[in-house]
Amino acid sequence: MFTAAQLASLSVTERVTSALSLISSGYIIFTFLISTEFHKPINRLVFYASFGNIITNVATLISRSAITLGDNSALCQLQSFLIQMFMPADSLWTLAMACNVYLTFFRKYNAAQLKKQEWKYFLTCYGIPFIPAVTYLFVESKSRGKVYGPATLWCWITPKWDALRVATFYGPVWVVVLITVFIYVLAGVEIYQKRRQLQKFSHPGPLEVVDNPFVSTKTTKIEVTSEPAESRNPSESSLKHDDGIRVTPSRAYMEYSITIESGANAPKNPRIERPRTALDANTAAWGYTRIAFLFFIALLITWVPSSVNRVYSLVHPEKSNFPLNFVASLVLPLQGFWNGLIYFTTSLPASRNLWRRIDDRLRVLMRRGPASRPDSGQNHSVDINLQPRHRKANYESDSQRSLACSPDIHVGRRDPETDESPRSFSGGYLNI
C-alpha cells in the first residue's frame, strides 16, 4: 500500500491534469460554436469527443474524494460509471477518424458523405461503452461485493473484479488501437502509391487520383443582363439564375451583360487542370490523414503507460507500484488536453483570425464608451458577429460548398450621381 503522502501526490496530479484538459476541451467547444472557420471534417469529430472528455475530467477531478466516502456511496458509484463509460470513448473517436481516412482513400467519400456518418460515430462511441458501464451498477456478489468501488486512483472497478477491467476496458481499447494501426498502414501504402503517381505528371496516360473529400464539384451559373431605359420601370431589367429565381432591380442603367460560371462546366485546359486537381485532392486527403494520425499518437501516449500498470497488477496482484500508478494518474486525465493541443495547432490560422476579430470588437466597444449610452442622444450600433467576413477558398470545410450572401449583394455598375449599386438581391445561398 501507499503512504498518505503518495496518495496525496496522486490526487494532486489527477486534479491538475484534469483542469488542463477541462480548459482545452472548453476551448474546443467555444471556438467551434463561435466560428465556422473551425468546421473542418476532423474538427467536428474532436468537437463531439470533447463532451466525453469533459465528463471524464469531471470524474477524475473528484479524484480520491469519492473513495473516502465508501464504495456504497452515490458519489463513488457515479464516478465509477462516468470513468467506465467516457474514458474509453475517446479511443473510439480516434478510430472514427481512422474510419474517415479509410472512407476517403478507398471508398472515395467526399465531405458531405463523411458528415452523414457522424451520427453513427456518435452512437457507437458513446453507446458501446454505455452498456457495460450501466450494467456494472447492478452487478454484485456475496464473495466480491459490488463491481464499482475503490481502485487506488479513484472509484472504478475493484481489484476483486480485475478480469472485467481487461475484458471491458483495456481489452477493447487495444482492439481499437490495432484496428486503427491497420487502417493507417493501408492508408500509408495508398499515399505512397499516389505520391509516386503525382511525380509522373508528364506521363501521357491517365492519372488516378483520390477525390478531394473537402471540396464539392457542383456548378453555379449566374447571368446578369440589362437594357437601356429612361424610366424607373422595374420590369425593364432583370437578374436570372439557373434555379428560376428572378429578382427585379430598383433602377435601370446602361446596357451590359455579365456571365459567371464555376465548377465542372467552367472552361479549362485539361492538360493543366489534371495535375493541379490531382495535387489538390491528394494533398487534402493526406492533410486529413496526418492530423488524424496525431490523435492516434496521443492515444498511445494515454494508454501505453496505464496498460503497463494494468499488466503489472495482473502479474503481481499483491503488489502496488507507485511510479506506474503515478504515470497513470498523469496521462489518463490528459485526453482532453492532447485533443485541444492538436486542435489548436492544426487550426492556428483560424484561431488567429478569431482572436483578431474579438480584439477588434473589444477595441470598438472601448473607444465608443460613454457615447453609446442611451441618454447621449446618439445611436451607435456595434457589430458583434464573430463569423469571418471573408473566408479563404482553400479552407477544408463543408462551408465552402455554399456562398453565403449578405442581405444585399450588389452586381453591376454604380450610378455616378448617387453612387448606388444598380443590381441587388436578398439573402440565401448559392451552392457551388
Side-chain angles (χ1 to χ4, degrees), residues 2 10 17 41 46 62 71 84 100 126 144 153 184 188 191 230-231 251 255 271 276 281 288 305 326 332 353 368:
F2 302 141
L10 293 178
T17 52
V46 180
I62 297 173
D71 56 348
Q84 177 65 29
N100 275 357
Y126 291 131
R144 291 182 287 183
L153 299 180
Y184 284 132
I191 291 170
E230 298 178 357
S231 64
R251 300 175 62 91
E255 181 177 0
R271 292 185 177 181
R276 183 71 258 172
Y288 185 98
F326 179 82
L332 284 176
N353 292 337
R368 294 188 175 182

Side-chain angles (χ1 to χ4, degrees), residues 58-60 62-85 133 136-137 146-159 165:
V58 169
T60 56
I62 297 173
S63 187
R64 291 181 50 84
S65 298
I67 296 178
T68 60
L69 298 178
D71 56 348
N72 291 322
S73 66
L75 184 61
C76 183
Q77 294 296 306
L78 176 62
Q79 184 186 40
S80 302
F81 169 78
L82 296 180
I83 290 176
Q84 177 65 29
M85 177 175 173
Y136 293 162
L137 289 171
K146 290 180 174 294
V147 173
Y148 290 149
T152 306
L153 299 180
W154 38 59
C155 281
W156 183 45
I157 299 175
T158 64
R165 296 180 176 182

Side-chain angles (χ1 to χ4, degrees), residues 157-416:
I157 299 175
T158 64
K160 294 181 180 180
W161 296 88
D162 215 15
L164 295 180
R165 296 180 176 182
V166 177
T168 60
F169 195 84
Y170 287 97
V173 166
W174 280 102
V175 170
V176 167
V177 170
L178 293 177
I179 296 174
T180 305
V181 169
F182 179 72
I183 292 175
Y184 284 132
V185 169
L186 292 179
V189 173
E190 186 75 5
I191 291 170
Y192 175 76
Q193 294 175 349
K194 292 295 182 288
R195 282 184 171 268
R196 293 198 62 180
Q197 287 182 326
L198 292 175
Q199 294 173 357
K200 301 178 180 179
F201 284 153
S202 60
H203 193 279
L207 176 64
E208 179 185 358
V209 300
V210 177
D211 293 339
N212 191 335
F214 313 112
V215 179
S216 66
T217 56
K218 295 183 180 180
T219 301
T220 294
K221 180 179 179 181
I222 303 176
E223 181 179 348
V224 182
T225 60
S226 177
E227 297 177 358
E230 298 178 357
S231 64
R232 294 188 178 182
N233 188 346
S235 64
E236 295 185 4
S237 59
S238 62
L239 183 149
K240 300 179 181 178
H241 188 267
D242 285 348
D243 296 334
I245 302 175
R246 184 182 184 91
V247 183
T248 302
S250 58
R251 300 175 62 91
Y253 290 86
M254 298 177 62
E255 181 177 0
Y256 65 89
S257 177
I258 300 176
T259 301
I260 303 174
E261 293 183 351
S262 64
N265 293 335
K268 54 188 176 183
N269 188 340
R271 292 185 177 181
I272 297 176
E273 291 297 330
R274 182 171 64 93
R276 183 71 258 172
T277 303
L279 182 60
D280 290 343
N282 287 278
T283 299
W286 164 238
Y288 185 98
T289 305
R290 183 176 53 198
I291 297 174
F293 189 74
L294 291 177
F295 287 100
F296 174 71
I297 297 299
L299 176 71
L300 294 179
I301 295 174
T302 300
W303 290 100
V304 168
S306 56
S307 297
V308 172
N309 182 42
R310 187 55 43 221
V311 171
Y312 181 87
S313 65
L314 290 175
V315 176
H316 306 284
E318 303 300 328
K319 297 181 180 180
S320 296
N321 187 292
F322 177 74
L324 291 178
N325 279 275
F326 179 82
V327 174
S329 69
L330 178 67
V331 297
L332 284 176
L334 282 177
Q335 293 176 333
F337 171 77
W338 295 121
N339 290 347
L341 181 63
I342 299 172
Y343 174 93
F344 173 77
T345 55
T346 56
S347 304
L348 196 56
S351 299
R352 289 172 177 169
N353 292 337
L354 174 62
W355 296 116
R356 187 180 299 114
R357 291 194 298 274
I358 292 177
D359 182 66
D360 291 342
R361 301 302 186 273
L362 292 177
R363 290 177 183 272
V364 170
L365 289 173
M366 293 177 64
R367 283 199 303 268
R368 294 188 175 182
S372 61
R373 293 198 306 264
D375 56 357
S376 63
Q378 302 181 22
N379 184 17
H380 295 275
S381 61
V382 180
D383 181 12
I384 61 173
N385 180 24
L386 297 178
Q387 296 294 350
R389 294 182 181 273
H390 302 285
R391 186 170 305 158
K392 295 182 180 180
N394 62 348
Y395 274 112
E396 297 174 6
S397 167
D398 280 352
S399 58
Q400 66 184 346
R401 290 179 299 146
S402 60
L403 174 64
C405 300
S406 63
D408 290 299
I409 300 296
H410 302 284
V411 182
R413 300 179 179 177
R414 292 182 177 272
D415 187 351

